[in-house]
Amino acid sequence: MRRFTWFNATALTFGFAFLYLPMLILITYSFNESRLVTVWAGFSTKWYGVLLHDKAFLSAAWITLKVAVMSSTFAAILGTMAAYALVRGGRFRGRTLFSGMIYAPLVMPDVITGLSLLLLFIAIGMDRGVTTIVLAHTTFSMCFVSVVVSSRLATFDQSLEEAALDLGCTPFDAFRSVTLPIIAPAVISGWLLAFTLSLDDLVISSFTTGPSSTTLPIKIYSAVRLGVSPEINALSSIMILIVTVGVIAASLVSKRSIALQKADEQKALQQ
Amino acid sequence: MRRKLLIAIPYFWLLVLFLVPFLIVLKISLSDTAIARPPYTPTLDLSLGWAGVKDFFSQLDMENFTFLTEDALYWKAYLSSLEIALVATLATLIVGFPIAYGMAKAPSEWRPTLMMLIILPFWTSFLIRIYAWIGILSNEGYLNQILLWSGIIDEPLKIINTTMAVYIGIVYTYLPFMILPIYATLEKLDESLLEAAEDLGCSRLSAFWLVTLPLAKPGIIAGCFLVFIPAIGEFVIPSLLGGSQTLMIGKVLWEEFFSNRDWPVASAVAVILLLILVIPIILFQRNEQKNREEG
């Protein structure tokens, strides 16, 4: 069995300290009594209380959540369709352009995506608000979903689908009862990815937002430009906690499902 | 029929919300600034029919692009974006490689946990991770407090609002993108190759240089591109950590649009930024393709 060597242990310790210390400091200072964030004045949870009574933050959080749920759901549907078209669509006219449009947004700087969408919304005279942010987020995150889903589609055995068709399924039934269950984990992780991308987005939202729909990142950004504040520390700590719990839970669930699958395979072999 | 619909819906969506907006940017980059709503001219007036279309095209020119080449600000911004992205990529490699190496050599029952520890920050808000560094790097921040208290320095270091802070921010936020592809190649590496090299008289260090590093090259190259490409167009990091001194093209575009309200120039900046990005993106794709063919 392999053990940690002295060099590797040091590299990992320093590496993870670098990754996690900034966040730990942030969380620690969110419990600071003082308004001066760099001076420790005793333990207190008062900034969490202040945050929970801040109407502007709460409404921004609500808008952000709404946008993220809507855009990631649309993105999951459109992205799965796009992946299907790419992997199973065969040859069709404009396929190169299509795959180009799927991959380009992945590397496009946010400032360009945001600017171009804003200019479109202005050109067609669309009022900016939640709808335009949802449209913008759906567009870039559907590309991420389609990359995740198409890698799953490409690796699974197509003969399963063909068998279903041979046994009298309509193509739609075959998709629903064979393909969808197999690609479901990829669609779910694509949805989660789209959800986080939307929650996190500052630049594209800033371009496509209207006056009455401020999202949480926009709110945080404008507060942070004035310097560090204990309220933002508290908010950040809550967000870090939610993500940590979510990621750990997701990994435990996937670990369990892999274990269950292995057990099933074992059983099948024994019979 | 269903198959056609399946292709047509996402296709149409991307045409309308990705390709058309970009054509609008291209068009506005060729227009002139005007004090009007929208603040550029000409606008396409289809009610005039063919004459309107002809009139529209005759008014487009390359003026904004000539302007960009004449004003030193834009040259400097493009060049310094490239420079900052390049230096930050190398720094990320230097920080990330030992971590990836340590992970790949760790006992196998540890690896899933280590992997999750690398991925976890990736899911955490980008903005918050940048924000965390403001408190650390500022003049009366935690880093300066510790250094002053321990007597290593007498005066606080000026890090925030310098390019140094931008480097730290990029290394910190993009580190997972560097570590994961390198880890993937190192994990597959066949240990017996290293044993063979040592049996044949290589020292450990030269075995690392002659065997490990060349085999890790695809991962290193992929990681570098994954950091370099998004770093060029970065906006949040230079704007929060770099202050007014740091010149990066993403920030220039933002200010051109939101502060100067010069839409045609902002669009021209976007077009050139995209042209600059095309080269590394094509190189990256070629590299990926080559790896796929070999692997």
Side-chain angles (χ1 to χ4, degrees):
Chain A
M1 204 195 82
R2 278 201 291 187
R3 309 239 312 264
F4 283 109
T5 63
W6 179 83
F7 173 83
N8 295 336
T10 320
L12 287 176
T13 314
F14 274 100
F16 286 113
F18 176 63
L19 276 175
Y20 283 93
L21 265 183
M23 287 192 257
L24 290 178
I25 295 174
L26 188 80
I27 294 171
T28 313
Y29 274 82
S30 73
F31 294 105
N32 187 3
E33 170 82 49
S34 166
R35 177 157 269 286
L36 293 169
V37 274
T38 47
V39 185
W40 183 259
F43 182 86
S44 152
T45 52
K46 76 172 180 198
W47 300 113
Y48 289 88
V50 172
L51 190 70
L52 287 178
H53 291 101
D54 190 330
K55 288 234 168 62
F57 268 114
L58 291 179
S59 88
W62 176 235
I63 290 174
T64 312
L65 207 60
K66 259 197 315 202
V67 168
V69 169
M70 283 194 277
S71 70
S72 55
T73 307
F74 291 143
I77 297 168
L78 285 166
T80 307
M81 289 168 90
Y84 216 75
L86 272 183
V87 179
R88 292 288 155 78
R91 286 170 178 274
F92 55 89
R93 212 182 298 160
R95 194 180 185 285
T96 321
L97 176 67
F98 185 60
S99 69
M101 288 193 300
I102 292 285
Y103 288 104
L106 305 181
V107 289
M108 190 75 96
D110 287 350
V111 276
I112 297 183
T113 311
L115 176 73
S116 63
L117 281 164
L118 171 61
L119 294 176
L120 170 82
F121 294 141
I122 289 171
I124 59 174
M126 199 166 172
D127 278 337
R128 270 158 289 142
V130 171
T131 320
T132 47
I133 307 180
V134 170
L135 285 175
H137 284 187
T138 305
T139 307
F140 76 85
S141 45
M142 71 177 269
C143 301
F144 285 89
V145 175
S146 102
V147 169
V148 174
V149 174
S150 64
S151 69
R152 181 81 189 102
L153 266 179
T155 54
F156 103 80
D157 192 354
Q158 207 173 340
S159 56
L160 289 174
E161 256 175 19
E162 281 158 13
L165 292 174
D166 285 348
L167 293 169
C169 267
T170 63
F172 183 69
D173 280 339
F175 176 78
R176 208 187 48 192
S177 51
V178 178
T179 317
L180 201 57
I182 294 178
I183 62 169
V187 177
I188 292 169
S189 50
W191 186 90
L192 278 173
L193 184 61
F195 186 78
T196 5
L197 286 171
S198 169
L199 277 188
D200 202 15
D201 172 65
L202 165 73
V203 176
I204 295 170
S205 306
S206 299
F207 274 102
T208 51
T209 186
S212 62
S213 45
T214 306
T215 65
L216 208 48
I218 298 178
K219 191 91 193 139
I220 295 175
Y221 177 73
S222 53
V224 163
R225 280 178 63 102
L226 306 172
V228 179
S229 88
E231 260 187 278
I232 303 283
N233 281 352
L235 178 67
S236 306
S237 308
I238 294 174
M239 288 170 76
I240 292 173
L241 182 78
I242 293 172
V243 168
T244 310
V245 171
V247 170
I248 292 175
S251 86
L252 288 180
V253 168
S254 80
K255 216 176 181 177
R256 232 190 101 204
S257 74
I258 290 171
L260 283 176
Q261 205 179 339
K262 272 199 182 140
D264 280 350
E265 276 166 18
Q266 283 282 315
K267 251 189 239 162
L269 281 176
Q270 279 163 5
Q271 275 167 5
Chain B
M1 185 55 220
R2 276 212 176 98
R3 180 180 158 263
K4 269 191 187 151
L5 210 61
L6 196 72
I7 297 171
I9 294 170
Y11 206 125
F12 182 72
W13 183 286
L14 286 172
L15 274 182
V16 173
L17 284 152
F18 180 74
L19 199 62
V20 170
F22 191 68
L23 294 177
I24 296 176
V25 170
L26 202 62
K27 184 249 138 184
I28 293 178
S29 74
L30 299 171
S31 310
D32 295 321
T33 319
I35 303 171
R37 280 177 79 94
Y40 57 86
T41 176
T43 43
L44 184 56
D45 190 358
L46 283 175
S47 59
L48 293 173
W50 182 237
V53 177
K54 235 163 96 181
D55 191 40
F56 168 75
F57 277 106
S58 68
Q59 282 187 53
L60 297 178
D61 53 48
M62 302 290 283
E63 208 173 276
N64 295 310
F65 292 96
T66 344
F67 173 67
L68 291 192
T69 58
E70 280 162 1
D71 194 328
L73 169 80
Y74 300 101
W75 275 115
K76 276 192 195 148
Y78 281 118
L79 288 178
S80 90
S81 299
L82 285 173
E83 191 196 318
I84 289 174
L86 196 69
V87 174
T89 305
L90 289 177
T92 316
L93 177 62
I94 293 167
V95 176
F97 191 89
I99 303 175
Y101 188 82
M103 281 170 67
K105 299 279 168 189
S108 52
E109 71 270 19
W110 272 84
R111 283 189 216 157
T113 315
L114 294 174
M115 186 78 164
M116 202 166 81
L117 284 172
I118 293 293
I119 294 172
L120 191 62
F122 169 80
W123 290 94
T124 317
S125 167
F126 190 79
L127 194 57
I128 288 174
R129 282 184 290 149
I130 300 296
Y131 167 70
W133 281 95
I134 301 179
I136 297 173
L137 297 177
S138 65
N139 292 345
E140 55 289 342
Y142 311 123
L143 182 67
N144 274 322
Q145 281 181 20
I146 292 174
L147 291 178
L148 284 171
W149 173 80
S150 62
I152 296 172
I153 52 167
D154 299 321
E155 268 175 46
L157 294 173
K158 261 198 83 63
I159 306 177
I160 194 98
N161 297 343
T162 64
T163 317
M164 188 63 203
V166 177
Y167 291 145
I168 295 174
I170 295 177
V171 171
Y172 184 67
T173 44
Y174 288 105
L175 200 55
F177 293 103
M178 183 65 86
I179 292 176
L180 293 175
I182 297 179
Y183 169 73
T185 52
L186 286 178
E187 202 207 6
K188 279 186 299 190
L189 196 131
D190 190 350
E191 287 287 310
S192 56
L193 291 175
L194 287 174
E195 280 162 24
E198 280 178 37
D199 285 348
L200 293 169
C202 257
S203 70
R204 276 209 155 172
L205 198 63
S206 55
F208 175 80
W209 274 111
L210 296 171
V211 180
T212 310
L213 219 48
L215 287 173
K217 214 174 93 186
I220 294 175
I221 294 175
C224 286
F225 276 118
L226 288 177
V227 176
F228 182 70
I229 294 169
I232 297 176
E234 188 52 59
F235 165 75
V236 181
I237 298 173
S239 115
L240 287 181
L241 296 176
S244 53
Q245 288 179 14
T246 315
L247 207 52
M248 279 189 88
I249 202 66
K251 219 176 99 195
V252 170
L253 193 159
W254 177 285
E255 276 156 14
E256 218 43 88
F257 189 84
F258 284 111
S259 311
N260 297 351
R261 304 217 147 261
D262 194 335
W263 295 14
V265 167
S267 304
V269 169
V271 171
I272 296 187
L273 171 55
L274 210 61
L275 289 179
I276 290 175
L277 281 173
V278 163
I279 302 163
I281 289 169
I282 289 176
L283 288 175
F284 174 61
Q285 289 237 313
R286 272 208 193 143
N287 181 56
E288 290 291 285
Q289 210 159 14
K290 209 179 83 191
N291 289 344
R292 235 173 289 148
E293 278 158 15
E294 282 169 3

